[in-house]
Amino acid sequence: MSMTTAISRRRFLSTAANAGLVTAVSAPFYIRPGRARAAAGLADGMVGGPTGFDGAERYQYGPDTPEARAIEAVNALKGAGKAPDRIVLGLSDGSIGQLTQPFPAGAPSIKELWEAETGITLDIVGVPNGQEFTKVMQDVSTKGGAFDIYAVEWNRLGDLAETGGIVNLDDYVAAHRPEWDNAERGYVGGAQGVSLLNNYRGSTYGVSLDGDFQIWNHRTDLFSDPAEQKAFADKHGYELAPPRTWKQHDEIAAFFHRPDKGLFGSTDLRNQGWGYTNWYQRFVSMASPNQFLFADDGSALINSEAGISATQEYVDSLAHHSPDAISWGWPEQYGNFASGGAAMTCAFSNLPKFLDNAGNEGSKVTGLVGSHLPPGREIDGSLIRRTVLWLNLSASVSSQSKHPEASYLLLQWLGSSRIYSWMTANPGGYFDPFQLSNFADPLVRQTYHDYHMDVVRESVARTVPTINYPGATAFHNALDENLVAALTGSKTAAEAMADTEKQWARVARRIGEDKLVEAIKANKAAWPTITDPIG
């Protein structure tokens, strides 16, 4: 995968932070005192968690919780002389603020709380945005041992696991019970969600620290305008509303496409490195409950009627995009939507957080943004709606760490529902919500907006994984290059899929077909089965 676009996305967020779009609430310096003194600041029955602000009790934890078990286990390791003085976490520059900036006013930071409760220094080493995997592979290949914990894109787990660079966490998960599948507070989808985010070949290799799900947004002022509603209904014979199907999406996008007036119909990305995530959405909804990329024997399924049709739709949709759509990245997409330049778009769940924001004086769409579930297809009496997960930082324990259990326990604490809800509500970075507890949390809902949170939760339940087993980069590069060739007209949709199939077969032979087949079969557990009624 070309990292150019990843850099662009994160550079945009870094720029937004500098411009005041991502602003942590100023708070006085505060470190929670030792446990004996802190007990007075905790709610009844709580043994740990932040204090010092209204609502802090929501993020505190009782004795038999994943957070408390992690802290207790770390302190037991310390008592036995088996814990480190510090844990080194390599983390993308753009996300560090959510661990180091106090939020809200009167609160400690995540880093301060961890150090106060464990006595272990959390040493966060910033990694340039877009270079996470490169830095990790450098550390793995040179045996540099610079980090205890790596944080990289979630679909790198397969490659890292196969190199032996990260630790299989199954034993720690069994011992310390993180409860990621908790029906009330855990991952959306329970075990399916855990498989999607944390697992490779049926084992746990990562702990998700992000929610980079692709979510659809629209301009509410356009969709609610009586004149627009009448004109659309007169033309198409049905009510103007956020689209439920791809056919409706394309008709609505064409209706609103008015480039002479500075308005594009839809701006879901088409550029290299990012656009194919939107191809995914069209392809995987071609069958019920899912159109898979590979058969169980490892053969590619894209050189088919489904693959060719999805590719042709993808190409045809350029008609309601910017003339420069093939070169647009996230900065252009966010900037255009902020200026009121699109009727619909598909982006990270943070789009309303940044653009529907009274503090963002440059945005013209504050108060005018809505969210909707992904479009789908009517198949066998059901509506199949699917979106995807893309980028999404996942943290793994380095196999070179001298203290892998303590490092895992930090991740269990960070990724558990109470601490993660508090962390993702903090506007100082780009870790986004993905747990049931996050979507119900008042601070998170305030940061991301009530109208958006329920749509994000339901979109997460309809999310398929992009390729996340060995060879992921090579597989995606082949697909990416051929889709761009189709977009530019140098290949037909059929030629693009045929050539992708040939390249995927070569990648499969190179990485080992037996290994690939095992990963494909295990990966099926991460795919959703939810469908929607047609009516």
Side-chain angles (χ1 to χ4, degrees), residues 322-372:
S322 163
D324 300 319
I326 297 176
S327 64
W328 269 27
W330 294 104
E332 292 82 6
Q333 180 198 34
Y334 276 55
N336 169 266
F337 201 83
S339 70
M344 296 180 290
T345 200
C346 183
F348 289 106
S349 57
N350 61 29
L351 183 145
K353 169 181 168 180
F354 293 128
L355 304 187
D356 189 0
N357 184 340
N360 182 355
E361 296 179 357
S363 177
K364 297 180 180 178
V365 296
T366 298
L368 304 176
V369 181
S371 306
H372 60 274

Side-chain angles (χ1 to χ4, degrees), residues 200-201 292-300 467-470 475 508 513-527:
Y200 167 66
R201 288 172 66 178
F292 292 106
L293 297 161
F294 295 91
D296 285 348
D297 64 1
S299 59
I467 295 172
N468 62 340
Y469 27 80
F475 283 122
E513 291 170 323
D514 290 344
K515 184 186 300 181
L516 177 63
V517 165
E518 183 181 348
I520 288 170
K521 289 180 178 178
N523 186 249
K524 292 285 183 70
W527 288 64

Side-chain angles (χ1 to χ4, degrees), residues 378-400:
E378 297 178 1
I379 300 173
D380 297 334
S382 296
L383 181 61
I384 311 302
R385 293 168 138 173
R386 296 290 180 259
T387 188
V388 295
L389 176 70
W390 188 235
L391 280 188
N392 203 78
L393 286 180
S394 179
S396 298
V397 176
S398 168
S399 58
Q400 299 178 72

Side-chain angles (χ1 to χ4, degrees), residues 1-2 153-156 159 271-277 279-280 293-294 302 388-391 464-484 500 503-504 507 510:
M1 180 187 76
S2 168
E153 300 96 327
W154 73 285
N155 66 336
R156 305 291 195 173
D159 284 323
N271 64 325
Q272 191 165 8
W274 294 87
Y276 62 85
T277 64
W279 174 90
Y280 258 99
L293 297 161
F294 295 91
I302 54 173
V388 295
L389 176 70
W390 188 235
L391 280 188
V464 306
T466 48
I467 295 172
N468 62 340
Y469 27 80
T473 299
F475 283 122
H476 281 146
N477 281 344
L479 173 63
D480 198 8
E481 291 165 4
N482 283 293
L483 287 175
V484 170
T500 302
Q503 291 173 255
W504 280 11
V507 175
R510 187 171 71 247

Side-chain angles (χ1 to χ4, degrees), residues 250-267:
D250 292 343
E251 289 174 347
I252 293 169
F255 173 77
F256 279 121
H257 190 63
R258 302 160 192 173
D260 57 323
K261 297 181 179 179
L263 181 65
F264 302 128
S266 183
T267 56

Side-chain angles (χ1 to χ4, degrees), residues 68-246:
R69 286 195 293 271
I71 296 297
E72 183 179 358
V74 166
N75 286 321
L77 289 173
K78 284 190 65 179
K82 297 180 180 179
D85 293 328
R86 67 172 186 154
I87 292 174
V88 181
L89 166 63
L91 195 61
S92 297
D93 291 331
S95 57
I96 292 174
Q98 281 173 302
L99 278 73
T100 60
Q101 295 178 9
F103 176 82
S109 70
I110 295 280
K111 180 179 186 294
E112 290 165 351
L113 180 62
W114 164 263
E115 292 173 349
E117 293 205 349
T118 66
I120 296 175
T121 298
L122 176 54
D123 187 356
I124 303 174
V125 177
V127 178
N129 295 326
Q131 297 183 27
E132 296 87 353
F133 185 64
T134 300
K135 292 293 186 183
V136 168
M137 287 306 298
Q138 182 181 36
D139 192 63
V140 171
S141 62
T142 64
K143 300 190 183 302
F147 306 97
D148 293 292
I149 297 172
Y150 303 130
V152 298
E153 300 96 327
W154 73 285
N155 66 336
R156 305 291 195 173
L157 288 183
D159 284 323
L160 288 174
E162 294 297 343
T163 66
I166 57 177
V167 175
N168 183 314
L169 302 175
D170 285 350
D171 290 344
Y172 300 140
V173 169
H176 301 297
R177 297 174 289 131
E179 297 184 14
W180 295 317
D181 60 351
N182 183 281
E184 295 182 358
R185 303 188 60 89
Y187 292 13
V188 174
Q192 178 264 327
V194 176
S195 180
L196 172 70
L197 291 165
N198 294 354
N199 292 1
Y200 167 66
R201 288 172 66 178
S203 289
T204 301
Y205 282 93
V207 178
S208 183
L209 294 180
D210 206 353
D212 280 344
F213 296 88
Q214 301 301 293
I215 309 298
W216 284 88
N217 299 105
H218 61 273
R219 288 262 306 278
T220 57
D221 56 324
L222 294 177
F223 278 77
S224 63
D225 184 278
E228 301 285 11
Q229 291 175 338
K230 183 180 186 304
F232 183 85
D234 288 347
K235 182 174 183 178
H236 291 287
Y238 62 92
E239 181 180 345
L240 176 62
R244 291 173 55 83
T245 67
W246 282 111

Side-chain angles (χ1 to χ4, degrees), residues 30-42 51:
Y30 174 89
I31 297 181
R32 181 171 167 261
R35 185 170 303 282
R37 293 176 56 204
L42 295 170
T51 59

